[in-house]
Amino acid sequence: MQPDGYVEVENTVRGVLRDVLGISADRAAAFDETTPLFGALPELDSLAVAGVLTELEDRLGILIEDDEVDGEMLETFGALTRFAADKALT
C-alpha cells in the first residue's frame, strides 16, 4: 500500500521526466515501476540528471543533497519515484 500523496509524487516525477527530457506524454505515461532510466534513456545524460533533480526540488519543495544522488536512485522510474516520495512525504 502506497502512502497518502504517493500518486501525486509519481505524477510529478513523470511530468518532470517528460518536461526536462522532452519526451512525449504517451511515452512518459507508459513508465512503470520497472522502467529503466539512467543508462537506458538516451535523453537522461548527466546534464539532464541535474535538471531532473532541480525540477523535482522545485515542484515537490524538497532538498536533495549531493550525497543522496547515486545510480541506484536513478536506475528505474520506481526507484526515482520512491526516493522523491520518501523526501516529499516524510
Side-chain angles (χ1 to χ4, degrees):
M1 184 170 162
Q2 304 296 349
D4 287 345
Y6 188 87
V7 171
E8 290 83 2
V9 172
E10 181 179 55
N11 289 334
T12 299
V13 172
R14 194 179 308 280
V16 165
L17 291 172
R18 182 191 64 233
D19 296 346
V20 172
L21 302 181
I23 61 177
S24 72
D26 288 342
R27 186 173 172 202
F31 290 172
D32 67 19
E33 181 79 14
T34 63
T35 301
L37 296 179
F38 196 69
L41 295 178
E43 300 90 349
L44 189 59
D45 58 18
S46 57
L47 185 58
V49 167
V52 165
L53 297 178
T54 299
E55 195 64 24
L56 284 174
E57 287 179 325
D58 290 347
R59 292 191 193 183
L60 294 173
I62 61 175
L63 178 62
I64 301 171
E65 302 289 342
D66 289 342
D67 64 347
E68 295 176 305
V69 179
D70 60 24
E72 196 171 294
M73 75 172 268
L74 295 162
E75 188 174 353
T76 64
F77 177 72
L80 182 57
T81 301
R82 283 189 304 277
F83 172 81
D86 285 348
K87 298 290 284 183
L89 301 176
T90 56

